[in-house]
Amino acid sequence: MPRDMIFTSESVTPGHPDKLCDQISDAAIDAFLRHDPAAHAVVECAVATGVVFLAARFAAEAVIDLPSLARKVIANVGYVEGGFDARSCSILTSLVELPKSMRQPACVKPDEAAIAACSALDQANVFGYACRETQELMPLPISLAHRIARALDRARPHLPWLSPDAKTQVSIEYRDRRPLRIHTVTVTAAVAAGTPSGQVEEGLRAAVAKTFDDADMRPDGRTAINVNAGEPYEIGGPARHAGLTGRKNGIDTYGEIARQSGAALSGKDPSRIDRIGAYAARHAAKNVVAAGLAERCEVHLAYAIGRAEPLSLSVTSFGTGAIPDQDIAARVENAVDFRPAAIMRRFGLRTQPALRGEQGFYRPLAVYGHFGRPDLDLPWEATDLVDALRG
């Protein structure tokens, strides 16, 4: 990270086509695991004007009506009329039921033998990151972008001309590698045709302003706030642009200020190490920072197919460590079991959907990021390793 720079991160509301796909995919994962905690499932989704395509490969002691589930998610997001309608959109499916032997009953509540036997099913490099820029130990640009996106979605019932599809962008000026001020806030939202531009400007600026009441940083007199500054945006959602599961990794993770895997997080059950490894790496990085071992920390884990233990564990503190990086890595390795089944057991990743009820566990992650999220009480956001890391 350069000492002085402006860095920008974006977020989107639930009606953005890519995030709509993520929500459908993760709602399906919740449904499979709610009925069968041992289920194996990978669900991918694509949307375009009037069309939803669902591809699911699964082994489960459960029967899930995926088209009905998709329509429910689409309606909940707010697409119930116009160019994309939950009631009338076409839903195409490619459903492959795999052998029941691919279920993972031993990983629901694994003992030591099951943990040792459960290896990674994919090659993966996963990364976790944390820093002291916000209360939740997340980078400030993505944290504020998520706040504004959430505020726009909350405002929609009071702004009937506002579409479910909007994008937010926050640019932070850094000085000596620390956030100095909010340089620019940009909001791009689809609105109903014919809505006066002044009404849009006033409504969206009011929604944005409320966001900063308890934020870690507020706009100053020089902060530029741009509302629908680009091309006219009167058609939003899948009627305007196509969507695909797993295409917003920067939004899902750290706003691109830190490294991330190229693999999607949504649409995968806990057998996929590229998903759960990212959760374990974030847990470790956050606890390193919370323990005071570094102001900024990245944890990297490398996995190989057929092995349970990661091939490598490394820590980078970007020159902010209280002790050498290799010593932090040694403490992390001693404190945390990063084998796939151990991660599943520690976070309850196969049993959480049943505990969370209809809201689900994985679907809420599909918008506003998989990390930070004090609203969700996520197990990988706990700072329960602090004492062990301090030694």
Side-chain angles (χ1 to χ4, degrees):
M1 179 187 224
R3 301 190 73 86
D4 301 329
M5 67 171 183
I6 295 173
F7 197 90
T8 185
S9 295
E10 71 167 4
S11 183
V12 294
T13 54
H16 186 283
D18 292 330
K19 283 287 124 194
L20 180 62
C21 290
D22 286 342
Q23 290 171 88
I24 292 171
S25 295
D26 272 340
I29 298 301
D30 275 327
F32 278 115
L33 294 175
R34 188 181 297 117
H35 291 89
D36 179 8
H40 169 75
V42 177
V43 183
E44 296 173 278
C45 180
V47 298
T49 304
V51 178
V52 177
F53 177 68
L54 274 171
R57 301 176 299 283
F58 58 92
E61 297 287 355
V63 177
I64 307 299
D65 185 347
L66 291 177
S68 293
L69 182 148
R71 292 189 192 278
K72 184 176 179 181
V73 172
I74 295 165
N76 181 261
V77 165
Y79 289 116
V80 290
E81 61 183 355
F84 191 75
D85 189 326
R87 299 162 297 187
S88 60
C89 63
S90 298
I91 297 185
L92 310 178
T93 60
S94 174
L95 308 180
V96 178
E97 187 166 1
L98 302 171
K100 293 293 195 296
S101 59
M102 294 188 68
R103 296 171 62 250
Q104 292 192 313
C107 290
V108 176
K109 294 182 179 179
D111 56 19
E112 181 54 38
I115 290 174
C118 181
S119 61
L121 303 180
D122 302 275
Q123 174 275 336
N125 286 291
V126 297
F127 303 91
Y129 182 80
C131 61
R132 288 208 172 273
E133 293 180 10
T134 64
Q135 295 178 40
E136 64 270 26
L137 304 186
M138 286 287 287
L140 184 60
I142 188 66
S143 178
L144 292 179
H146 285 323
R147 275 176 167 263
I148 298 171
R150 191 188 295 273
L152 292 181
D153 195 51
R154 283 198 302 262
R156 210 161 39 82
H158 312 291
L159 303 174
W161 41 263
L162 181 59
S163 160
D165 182 12
K167 179 180 291 188
T168 66
Q169 179 180 335
V170 175
S171 302
I172 299 294
E173 183 177 342
Y174 283 81
R175 187 70 49 83
D176 197 24
R177 299 193 179 96
R178 296 180 182 275
L180 176 67
R181 56 181 294 270
I182 300 173
H183 183 275
T184 308
V185 174
T186 301
V187 174
T188 306
V191 299
T195 307
S197 59
Q199 184 178 359
V200 172
E201 181 93 8
E202 181 182 358
L204 296 185
R205 281 182 176 272
V208 169
K210 294 177 182 177
T211 303
F212 294 99
D213 289 345
D214 60 345
D216 292 275
M217 183 176 287
R218 298 184 180 187
D220 59 30
R222 294 185 293 143
T223 300
I225 299 180
N226 303 317
V227 175
N228 281 10
E231 61 183 292
Y233 200 13
E234 293 184 341
I235 300 174
R240 178 184 177 92
H241 49 141
L244 188 67
T245 299
R247 199 156 59 180
K248 287 286 183 284
N249 285 5
I251 291 173
D252 288 340
T253 54
Y254 307 104
E256 300 179 333
I257 205 168
R259 288 194 290 178
Q260 66 203 35
S261 168
L265 293 179
S266 290
K268 301 170 179 178
D269 75 73
S271 68
R272 294 293 296 268
I273 193 61
D274 44 4
R275 179 172 201 165
I276 68 172
Y279 298 158
R282 160 65 180 175
H283 185 221
K286 183 174 182 180
N287 276 269
V288 166
V289 174
L293 300 182
E295 294 291 304
R296 192 179 299 273
C297 177
E298 177 191 83
V299 172
H300 164 246
L301 302 168
Y303 289 91
I305 296 172
R307 289 178 55 113
E309 295 278 359
L311 296 175
S312 173
L313 184 160
S314 62
V315 169
T316 303
S317 67
F318 309 96
T320 70
I323 59 176
D325 289 354
Q326 60 267 30
D327 293 345
I328 300 176
R331 294 190 186 189
V332 170
E333 189 168 15
N334 287 335
V336 186
D337 190 341
F338 289 106
R339 292 175 294 176
I343 298 171
M344 291 186 224
R345 182 175 68 179
R346 184 163 70 253
F347 297 151
L349 295 177
R350 290 191 167 276
T351 54
Q352 291 280 2
L355 297 175
R356 302 289 177 119
E358 284 302 311
Q359 175 193 6
F361 177 70
Y362 292 102
R363 182 188 166 186
L365 298 172
V367 286
Y368 313 128
H370 293 240
F371 307 119
R373 306 304 301 273
D375 56 310
L376 294 181
D377 189 26
L378 299 174
W380 52 86
E381 292 298 315
T383 52
D384 51 352
L385 302 176
V386 166
D387 290 340
L389 291 176
R390 285 175 177 163

